[in-house]
């Protein structure tokens, strides 16, 4: 150990932010948790830098959990839509185990939402429409990317990207077959509101299957 280097210490135990969220009252919540999520999302859009950022948690073939930050691109009556490379680590996880959890954290509002459900692919039409709406550079990057595979040389990859930018300039970039959308159809949605003294509000909605539309709602201890 180099004693000349200043040792950096972090007193994480002393870091504390007092949550001052308003009460989460069940009588003010919608009977449909997706509709209530839309209300919270709209409020987050006004306060957060990336309100649609979410953690996507999956389980791999090796049974180990994995998680990464994704962007929500649509929420509708069926569920929550995002797009990615089907051959990525998360794509392979979902192919093997089509259940996942989404987590949204909106720090300015002292709010968190956890969503568990079954994941299915969207239609090819939906995937193409969204792909074509992306910035040109992002379309090209998705086309040439071998997501989650080992990159042996960054410079070579950059050169491939630059050549593709020139090749497809002024043309329609074809959506890669390996790229598309997923929709998470929820079975459980939990709304968490940070409150003083860490005595938070937690309300969870559950349904036994996707075919049964009736949601049951419970309040949980923090």
């Amino acid at each position: 150990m180099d004693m000349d280097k200043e040792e950096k210490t972090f007193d994480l135990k002393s870091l504390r932010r007092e949550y001052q969220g308003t009460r989460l009252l069940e009588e003010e919540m919608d009977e449909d948790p997706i509709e209530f999520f839309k209300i919270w999302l709209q409020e987050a859009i006004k306060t957060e830098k990336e309100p649609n950022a979410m953690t996507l948690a999956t389980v791999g073939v090796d049974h180990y959990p994995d998680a990464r930050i994704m962007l929500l691109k649509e929420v509708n009556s069926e569920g929550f839509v995002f797009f990615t490379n089907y051959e990525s680590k998360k794509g392979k996880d979902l192919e093997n185990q089509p259940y996942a959890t989404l987590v949204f954290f909106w720090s300015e509002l002292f709010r968190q939402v956890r969503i568990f459900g079954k994941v299915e692919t969207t239609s090819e039409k939906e995937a193409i429409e969204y792909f074509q709406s992306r910035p040109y550079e992002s379309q090209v990057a998705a086309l040439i990317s071998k997501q989650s595979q080992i990159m042996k040389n960054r410079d070579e990859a950059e050169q491939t990207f630059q050549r593709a930018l020139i090749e497809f300039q002024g043309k329609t970039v074809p959506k890669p077959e390996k790229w598309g959308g997923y929709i998470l159809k929820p079975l459980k949605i939990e709304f968490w509101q940070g409150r003083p003294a860490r005595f938070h509000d937690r309300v969870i909605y559950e349904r036994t299957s996707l075919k049964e539309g009736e949601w049951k709602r419970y309040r949980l201890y923090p």
Side-chain angles (χ1 to χ4, degrees):
M1 182 182 210
D2 189 347
M3 300 301 294
D4 293 332
K5 292 183 178 179
E6 182 180 353
E7 184 178 356
K8 294 186 181 342
T9 58
F10 303 94
D11 186 10
L12 298 179
K13 295 184 181 66
S14 68
L15 294 179
R16 180 168 291 271
R17 183 185 184 191
E18 190 63 33
Y19 297 146
Q20 299 291 342
T22 57
R23 288 189 64 190
L24 181 57
L25 302 174
E26 291 162 84
E27 56 266 29
E28 296 178 358
M29 302 176 73
D30 199 287
E31 293 183 2
D32 185 335
I34 296 180
E35 290 303 312
F36 189 66
F37 174 86
K38 291 178 182 178
I39 294 173
W40 269 24
L41 177 61
Q42 188 60 44
E43 293 176 5
I45 288 172
K46 299 175 183 177
T47 62
E48 308 291 325
K49 291 183 178 179
E50 284 202 278
N52 62 329
M54 61 187 187
T55 299
L56 167 66
T58 57
V59 176
V61 179
D62 56 7
H63 304 297
Y64 285 103
D66 201 353
R68 72 289 289 163
I69 303 298
M70 300 285 294
L71 294 176
L72 178 71
K73 288 303 177 180
E74 182 185 350
V75 54
N76 57 44
S77 60
E78 288 193 68
F80 304 81
V81 178
F82 57 96
F83 297 86
T84 190
N85 187 312
Y86 292 145
E87 296 182 356
S88 64
K89 172 64 166 57
K90 54 189 160 314
K92 292 178 179 178
D93 285 356
L94 292 172
E95 182 179 7
N96 176 67
Q97 175 57 270
Y99 290 89
T101 295
L102 304 177
V103 181
F104 293 83
F105 180 61
W106 297 312
S107 62
E108 297 303 311
L109 295 169
F110 315 110
R111 288 174 178 172
Q112 174 182 263
V113 183
R114 297 195 301 160
I115 306 164
F116 167 79
K118 185 174 183 180
V119 181
E120 301 175 3
T121 55
T122 64
S123 69
E124 182 71 0
K125 180 176 179 290
E126 290 177 89
I128 291 173
E129 287 178 351
Y130 174 67
F131 183 80
Q132 293 177 343
S133 75
R134 304 178 85 204
Y136 171 68
E137 292 81 0
S138 297
Q139 293 182 39
V140 174
L143 182 64
I144 64 106
S145 176
K146 301 175 182 178
Q147 192 174 130
S148 298
Q149 295 185 32
I150 294 174
M151 180 187 288
K152 295 182 179 179
N153 189 304
R154 173 76 190 196
D155 290 338
E156 288 183 5
E158 287 279 4
Q159 291 169 16
T160 300
F161 177 52
Q162 293 303 321
R163 286 196 298 269
L165 286 174
I166 296 172
E167 178 184 351
F168 289 98
Q169 187 66 50
K171 302 177 184 177
T172 298
V173 180
K175 183 193 75 65
E177 291 185 8
K178 62 186 178 182
W179 191 97
Y182 290 99
I183 179 168
L184 184 145
K185 298 181 176 181
L187 292 166
K188 298 179 184 179
I189 302 182
E190 181 190 310
F191 296 90
W192 178 96
Q193 176 68 73
R195 301 279 287 127
R198 297 296 192 265
F199 203 67
H200 312 304
D201 281 328
R202 295 175 64 191
V203 175
I204 187 169
Y205 294 74
E206 293 183 322
R207 58 182 176 181
T208 55
S209 74
L210 297 176
K211 294 181 180 180
E212 297 181 11
E214 183 179 351
W215 290 93
K216 294 184 179 180
R217 186 171 62 191
Y218 310 93
R219 180 173 289 273
L220 304 177
Y221 272 96

